[in-house]
Amino acid sequence: MNAFVAELVSGAVGVARPRIEGPAKVTGAARYAADEPMPDLAFGAIVMSAVSRGRVRDLDVPAVLGMPGVIGVVDHRNAPRLSPLAGTFFGPDGGLLMLQDGVVPYAGCPVALVVARTPEQAKAAADALPVTYDEQPHDTHFSAGHPAARPASTVFGEDANVGDVEAELARSAVVVDEWYRTPEEHCGAMELHSATAWWDGERLQAVDCNQGPFIVATGLATLFSLEPERVRVRAEHVGGGFGSKGLCGPQLVLAVMGATLFGRPVRVTMSRHQVFLMTPPRPATEQRVRIGAGADGSLRAIDHEAAFEVSPLASYVENCVEPTKTLYAAAAIRTRLTAVPLDILPPFSVRGPGLTPGSFALESAMDEVAERLGLDPLELRLRNEPAAGPVSGLPFSRRDLVACLREGARRFGWADRDHRPRTRREGRLLAGTGLAATAFSTGALPSSASITAEADGSFTVAVGASDIGTGARTALIAVAADALRVGTDRIRMRIADSDFGPAWAAGGSRGTASWSWAITDAAAKLRERLGDPERPVTVTADTTRVLGGLPPRERHAYSAIFAQVTADPATGEVRVRRLLGMFAVGRVVNPLLARSQAVGGMIMGLSMALHEEGVRDRASGRQVNADFAGYHIAAHADVPDVEADFVPDYEPDDPSGIKGVGEIGTVGTAAAIANAVWHATGVRQRTLPIRVDRVLEDDPR
């Protein structure tokens, strides 16, 4: 065990505590972005394009200026000019350049913002604004063989090319060669996207719902060509994000435009329909997986090709092949990523980006290998455990996947499973079980934190973290208490303000690890100065340099998901009876919050497996189910028994031993359910979601 364990004195980390902001949320005292009181506040309503590609010919603004309460209209003829340099981790993002030239690049893009004195007046005028278009042919039909397909960006590294895949496949006793497909999927966080922007002298202020105030403020400054110190963004409470609030959202960009043109605070809150059409989805994927194995189950070759849809406006990588590079040992491993540009909103990261659809393909194919070999799917995975990174060759910082698999199998009762499909019935229902293993890359990213020792003996911690419903405040209070060697009652936590300095966002399972490292470093510096007679005393730490000196290793969280399902061949209905997840996520800061994250992730994976599917009309190019009436998600009745627990684990290179828990719950769940459906029915489901029409049998007998 590494050195950090010996330093635990307060015992705050590892204790299950409810969220500190819980009472404020359940009583309505917590203020979300749309709740912030503001004098002289105006409201903006977005007008979305009615075509999938073309140009705005005219907006008849005079037709609505006389309507009750209307203050004005922002469109491409009067909107502030925006910098094309603004973007994301993946580079410049043309999707941020709203209302610049009248071009319509996708259905639902903003073409105007109507500003009025009340939200109702703004919406009425936005609905009434006459807009005419010069429509152009569009292309929204995705396929891996699309003629515009091109190699994807290498921002996550080059394609794997280890060994001779074709030769190893030729030598294999069993070869699986199949295509797996996942649809466009949406985040659908409970809180609608909302932002309020205003000018405080020469300084731009905003209250927004986002996953990283500092990163969003930096992007906003670039977009509007402002010095970074002239922009402040706060996001005190955020009602879920799942990736959709990781960017400068339309609500924020348009609110700033309205505040700039009309000289008063402007609030823009998107409708649910607008959230579906204007916030980034997970792209559709088509993946071909070829796996060759020897008669003893040892893998000889893995070849994983993944195509995903993108927009010409921005670069993005749905890194489906990441699990293929790290999960299993094989003599030859090859991966290929292909981007297919279409006339759509730029996709972006959705919970478990890349690995969630990638795991569905890889873990389904692994089960098919086990099926053809007549081998227990658990045993197949155990026999192919690598000693080092199968592609990188790097050592693992710590790898506890086998512990997850073995403990999960014990609790689930896997040893009693008859591995033959379609052998177990419950009346007219077919019953089956399945599993999937997976990994998600983890690690800390540069962040800063400040701690002030107050005169009354308390400590104020300021870090630009974002709590998107995960309980980040509560977890970070525990980390600070342990690092300062005091009780949690002496910690005052301040988060979600870009003025607190650089900090990573709540995303990529790297938030808690990044913020905790900065807090731990600041606490170490402060402990050296606690003898100073004068209070308050403030110290600041930035982890950029120390993170740059870490040894090269593969760092991952791991999970093993086990699923039990029933399928009705007469109706096609699939029901999940039980989900069990065992996780290796490093040191668990708060078991209550971590378990909630894991369970929530598994439910999202269940929703992906059985329900979620963004559907586009091929003729119009528009999404036809852009609401919760048509876009189905899991409800309470779909989730009867979900259990999540953790195996002992820690990250040796992190002073707090933390890895990350946010994404790993979602990643393997859809594959485990699909494998269970095969075990129940004897029919392999290679396309998600597993709809009733895909399970329904002509002769259910």
Side-chain angles (χ1 to χ4, degrees), residues 416-461:
D416 299 328
R417 179 186 193 254
D418 184 338
H419 301 302
R420 296 172 300 168
R422 208 178 175 98
T423 57
R424 179 179 164 192
R425 283 186 175 267
E426 298 178 8
R428 73 176 191 279
L429 302 179
L430 303 170
T433 54
L435 68 81
T438 197
F440 192 92
S441 64
T442 59
L445 290 169
S447 295
S448 63
S450 297
I451 304 179
T452 300
E454 307 288 0
D456 63 359
S458 66
F459 297 87
T460 300
V461 181

Side-chain angles (χ1 to χ4, degrees), residues 374-510:
L375 188 64
D376 178 352
L378 172 64
E379 182 61 27
L380 176 66
R381 289 163 172 84
L382 293 175
R383 289 185 186 182
N384 291 283
E385 175 71 3
V391 172
S392 70
L394 294 173
F396 295 107
S397 63
R398 182 176 169 106
R399 183 178 168 102
D400 286 301
L401 177 57
V402 168
C404 292
L405 286 164
R406 292 196 184 281
E407 179 61 14
R410 185 189 69 79
R411 296 192 190 191
F412 195 73
W414 187 263
D416 299 328
R417 179 186 193 254
D418 184 338
H419 301 302
R420 296 172 300 168
R422 208 178 175 98
T423 57
R424 179 179 164 192
R425 283 186 175 267
E426 298 178 8
R428 73 176 191 279
L429 302 179
L430 303 170
T433 54
L435 68 81
T438 197
F440 192 92
S441 64
T442 59
L445 290 169
S447 295
S448 63
S450 297
I451 304 179
T452 300
E454 307 288 0
D456 63 359
S458 66
F459 297 87
T460 300
V461 181
V463 60
S466 181
D467 192 331
I468 58 175
T470 58
R473 286 178 186 80
T474 309
L476 294 178
I477 286 172
V479 170
D482 263 10
L484 290 166
R485 303 176 182 177
V486 299
T488 56
D489 58 331
R490 292 172 63 185
I491 304 296
R492 184 183 300 108
M493 184 64 58
R494 300 180 65 201
I495 67 169
D497 189 330
S498 63
D499 274 1
F500 294 160
W504 181 244
S509 284
R510 286 165 167 79

Side-chain angles (χ1 to χ4, degrees), residues 269-320:
T269 303
M270 297 163 66
S271 69
R272 179 62 65 192
H273 184 64
Q274 289 174 336
V275 169
F276 267 95
L277 296 183
M278 289 194 290
T279 63
R282 189 196 306 277
T285 76
E286 291 189 356
Q287 304 172 64
R288 184 188 183 192
V289 180
R290 297 190 296 164
I291 300 180
D296 62 350
S298 58
L299 300 185
R300 302 190 68 95
I302 310 177
D303 186 27
H304 190 171
E305 303 174 36
F308 56 91
E309 58 185 6
V310 296
S311 165
L313 297 174
S315 181
Y316 173 70
V317 181
E318 187 73 1
N319 193 19
C320 301

Side-chain angles (χ1 to χ4, degrees), residues 577-602:
R577 294 283 184 84
R578 183 186 179 196
L579 281 176
L580 166 67
M582 292 302 303
F583 300 93
V585 295
R587 185 176 172 215
V588 177
V589 176
N590 184 317
L592 177 65
L593 301 180
R595 188 169 289 110
S596 177
Q597 279 287 286
V599 168
M602 292 163 71

Side-chain angles (χ1 to χ4, degrees), residues 505-665:
S509 284
R510 286 165 167 79
T512 303
S514 302
W515 308 321
S516 295
W517 198 318
I519 290 171
T520 302
D521 275 10
K525 291 182 179 180
L526 184 60
R527 288 204 311 268
E528 296 174 358
R529 297 187 54 185
L530 288 183
D532 291 0
E534 300 226 355
R535 297 283 184 99
V537 177
T538 301
V539 300
T540 299
D542 187 306
T543 61
T544 303
R545 177 173 292 183
V546 66
L547 290 175
L550 289 179
R553 308 184 203 272
E554 286 206 19
R555 298 176 176 87
H556 305 276
Y558 300 94
S559 73
I561 309 294
F562 295 79
Q564 177 186 349
V565 307
T566 59
D568 188 334
T571 66
E573 182 180 37
V574 173
R575 287 283 183 178
V576 175
R577 294 283 184 84
R578 183 186 179 196
L579 281 176
L580 166 67
M582 292 302 303
F583 300 93
V585 295
R587 185 176 172 215
V588 177
V589 176
N590 184 317
L592 177 65
L593 301 180
R595 188 169 289 110
S596 177
Q597 279 287 286
V599 168
M602 292 163 71
I603 294 171
M604 184 174 274
L606 182 156
S607 198
M608 175 187 185
L610 301 183
H611 303 295
E612 296 190 38
E613 182 177 22
V615 179
R616 290 185 179 274
D617 177 72
R618 193 159 182 175
S620 69
R622 297 180 66 85
Q623 185 180 342
V624 298
N625 61 339
D627 54 46
F628 284 146
Y631 184 89
H632 297 166
I633 58 174
H636 285 292
D638 297 305
V639 191
D641 184 359
V642 182
E643 179 186 353
D645 208 348
F646 308 95
V647 301
D649 189 28
Y650 69 96
E651 172 52 59
D653 292 326
D654 185 294
S656 297
I658 297 170
K659 287 184 177 178
V661 71
E663 322 269 3
I664 190 70

Side-chain angles (χ1 to χ4, degrees), residues 207-423:
V207 173
D208 184 34
C209 57
N210 65 61
Q211 296 176 222
F214 183 83
I215 291 175
V216 169
T218 301
L220 199 62
T222 302
L223 197 59
F224 285 89
S225 301
L226 300 170
E227 295 297 322
E229 58 270 16
R230 290 183 57 196
V231 179
R232 183 190 185 193
V233 174
R234 289 176 289 147
E236 185 68 21
H237 294 285
V238 181
F242 313 114
S244 71
K245 295 174 183 173
L247 308 168
C248 274
Q251 76 284 351
L252 179 57
V253 177
L254 297 174
V256 172
M257 287 183 169
T260 301
L261 284 185
F262 303 118
R264 61 192 294 176
V266 171
R267 175 170 297 158
V268 176
T269 303
M270 297 163 66
S271 69
R272 179 62 65 192
H273 184 64
Q274 289 174 336
V275 169
F276 267 95
L277 296 183
M278 289 194 290
T279 63
R282 189 196 306 277
T285 76
E286 291 189 356
Q287 304 172 64
R288 184 188 183 192
V289 180
R290 297 190 296 164
I291 300 180
D296 62 350
S298 58
L299 300 185
R300 302 190 68 95
I302 310 177
D303 186 27
H304 190 171
E305 303 174 36
F308 56 91
E309 58 185 6
V310 296
S311 165
L313 297 174
S315 181
Y316 173 70
V317 181
E318 187 73 1
N319 193 19
C320 301
V321 300
E322 183 177 335
T324 301
K325 294 180 177 182
T326 194
L327 268 183
Y328 303 115
I333 298 176
R334 183 171 63 192
T335 63
R336 297 289 183 271
L337 281 170
T338 299
V340 179
L342 301 171
D343 298 319
I344 60 173
L345 170 75
F348 198 67
S349 300
V350 175
R351 198 174 194 179
L355 282 89
T356 299
S359 173
F360 165 67
L362 177 65
E363 288 299 282
S364 295
M366 283 291 288
D367 250 45
E368 298 204 51
V369 172
E371 171 194 348
R372 298 183 193 187
L373 287 170
L375 188 64
D376 178 352
L378 172 64
E379 182 61 27
L380 176 66
R381 289 163 172 84
L382 293 175
R383 289 185 186 182
N384 291 283
E385 175 71 3
V391 172
S392 70
L394 294 173
F396 295 107
S397 63
R398 182 176 169 106
R399 183 178 168 102
D400 286 301
L401 177 57
V402 168
C404 292
L405 286 164
R406 292 196 184 281
E407 179 61 14
R410 185 189 69 79
R411 296 192 190 191
F412 195 73
W414 187 263
D416 299 328
R417 179 186 193 254
D418 184 338
H419 301 302
R420 296 172 300 168
R422 208 178 175 98
T423 57

